Amino acid sequence: MAVPTRLKDIISIEGVRDNQLVGYGLVVGLDRSGDIILNTPYTEQSINAMLERLGINTKGRIQRGQNVAAVMVTATLPAFARQGTRIDVSIGSIGDAQDLKGGILLATPLLGADGEVYAVAQGGVAVAGFSAQGDAGSITQGVPTSGRIANGAIVEREVEFELSDLNTIKLSLHNPDLTTAQRIADKINDHLGMFLSLPLDPATVQLNRPVGYEKSLVQMLIDMERLEIEPDQRARVVIDERTGIIVMGSEVRINSVAIAQGNLTITISETPLVSQPAPFSEQGQTAIVPRTNIAIDDGSDRQLGILPPTVTLQELVDGLNALGVGPRDMISILQAIKAAGAMQAELEVM
């Protein structure tokens, strides 16, 4: 049975979204752990371009220091972020820098998908990993070539979107389902006492602003986001073969099937013996006599088991556990049941 969930936890408002930002910059102040200029010409070009903008002519001069690293800077611009708001940024080296610890990111414009600058990042880089080396060995923990700057970027441009000016909004379901969409529309209509909401597809519910409504659209959303909905879901079994994890939804059903499971196990053990001549014997020599024991278990003692038709998830789990198999074998059994057409659920293998 589905557990009642707040509307705000299962939907998002179309247009209210985060935006990804990216930029290219330089981290300076490294302790000879930055890019090797001869291997990364773009780092030298960036240094020369930066110095020229500051009025310093470096044409014809080769940079030799390793205190600078070329990096990519990424950030997420939250919805409704206003000018002056600070956001976190992530830093990652793109050259052959060894460590960004102690570095300072110079002012780096962060661009959106439209090529416009939405924020500028700058500040000291915090690195969680570290590396150390000596003449005969080295150790590295974490990733010293990436880091973060908390509140390291300032928003310079806002994404133009005014929620309060809309007369129609669309609610996007996190897990698309027609039944859930219909339940959301019915719950909103009952709450408002008028027919203003309807499902458009499994992932979208349209909500119209009522004529003459005294409150703003934002206030109406605040009232509705606390409504409790019982979301429905498709019957699904998710399997991760690498770790042996199996997750089944409550709606999974299996028809009656007969299952036989057996594994061929071969165990080989070596117990060599030492053969040596009697004491003070003039002939003979010590020798190792090999001795090998081989045991075979073909699972012939296991019988055909019947898995009855299941009504609940608990009955399904009890039936599978009664077969006495581990998670790895159970994955194969579930795949075989699905192939036989007895599983009334979607099987997803990760």
Side-chain angles (χ1 to χ4, degrees):
M1 181 178 179
V3 178
T5 307
R6 294 180 305 174
L7 180 62
K8 66 187 301 181
D9 296 325
I10 60 176
I11 61 99
S12 58
I13 301 174
E14 185 179 11
V16 179
R17 43 159 294 180
D18 297 337
N19 292 275
Q20 305 299 323
L21 305 179
V22 64
Y24 169 83
L26 293 174
V27 172
V28 300
L30 303 176
D31 185 14
R32 296 191 60 80
S33 60
D35 295 338
I36 300 175
I37 300 300
L38 296 178
N39 298 337
T40 54
Y42 49 83
T43 302
E44 182 181 12
Q45 295 173 8
S46 301
I47 295 174
N48 293 334
M50 176 195 66
L51 294 177
E52 288 179 2
R53 286 197 301 268
L54 297 176
I56 302 174
N57 186 5
T58 59
K59 291 184 178 180
R61 301 179 182 178
I62 301 177
Q63 305 291 334
R64 295 293 185 184
Q66 289 183 240
N67 299 336
V68 183
V71 296
M72 296 301 297
V73 185
T74 60
T76 300
L77 182 65
F80 306 113
R82 302 304 180 186
Q83 290 185 8
T85 303
R86 288 187 171 270
I87 57 177
D88 298 341
V89 297
S90 298
I91 314 294
S93 171
I94 60 174
D96 54 4
Q98 300 298 316
D99 197 336
L100 298 181
K101 182 178 181 181
I104 299 174
L105 176 70
L106 299 182
T108 302
L110 300 181
L111 311 178
D114 55 359
E116 299 290 341
V117 176
Y118 285 88
V120 176
Q122 180 172 276
V125 181
V127 178
F130 69 88
S131 62
Q133 62 181 5
D135 294 336
S138 63
I139 182 173
T140 300
Q141 182 173 345
V143 183
T145 55
S146 65
R148 289 179 59 83
I149 304 179
N151 296 327
I154 300 177
V155 177
E156 301 292 343
R157 180 193 296 266
E158 302 176 5
V159 178
E160 297 181 359
F161 180 76
E162 295 296 337
L163 181 61
S164 58
D165 294 340
L166 300 179
N167 291 321
T168 300
I169 61 174
K170 295 180 180 179
L171 309 179
S172 300
L173 277 69
H174 296 162
N175 297 309
D177 183 84
L178 276 173
T179 302
T180 304
Q182 185 62 58
R183 290 176 181 177
I184 292 175
D186 293 341
K187 193 75 172 183
I188 293 176
N189 292 333
D190 292 341
H191 176 72
L192 297 176
M194 58 187 72
F195 185 79
L196 298 173
S197 178
L198 73 159
L200 300 181
D201 52 58
T204 309
V205 176
Q206 180 174 300
L207 175 61
N208 300 315
R209 183 177 181 177
V211 179
Y213 190 73
E214 297 180 355
K215 298 181 180 180
S216 66
L217 184 61
V218 175
Q219 291 175 319
M220 183 174 67
L221 290 174
I222 293 174
D223 293 338
M224 293 188 307
E225 67 179 4
R226 293 191 296 266
L227 298 177
E228 292 190 345
I229 309 294
E230 292 185 3
D232 202 0
Q233 60 181 353
R234 298 178 60 183
R236 179 178 300 176
V237 177
V238 180
I239 294 174
D240 188 344
E241 291 187 316
R242 294 175 300 174
T243 59
I245 295 177
I246 304 172
V247 179
M248 292 183 285
S250 61
E251 302 299 326
V252 177
R253 300 291 182 266
I254 291 183
N255 298 336
S256 180
V257 290
I259 302 173
Q261 186 271 341
N263 291 327
L264 177 62
T265 303
I266 301 177
T267 304
I268 302 176
S269 59
E270 298 285 350
T271 55
L273 299 178
V274 178
S275 176
Q276 60 183 4
F280 307 105
S281 176
E282 297 181 357
Q283 297 181 350
Q285 59 182 357
T286 302
I288 298 177
V289 179
R291 177 173 293 181
T292 302
N293 296 322
I294 301 178
I296 300 177
D297 180 12
D298 59 359
S300 58
D301 57 335
R302 300 186 182 182
Q303 299 180 352
L304 191 69
I306 297 179
L307 190 65
T310 59
V311 178
T312 65
L313 180 61
Q314 183 63 48
E315 293 177 351
L316 172 58
V317 173
D318 292 341
L320 291 174
N321 289 336
L323 298 176
V325 297
R328 295 287 182 181
D329 293 331
M330 194 174 295
I331 290 176
S332 300
I333 291 176
L334 290 173
Q335 291 175 329
I337 293 176
K338 178 63 176 179
M343 178 184 294
Q344 312 307 323
E346 178 183 351
L347 186 63
E348 179 178 345
V349 180
M350 300 177 60

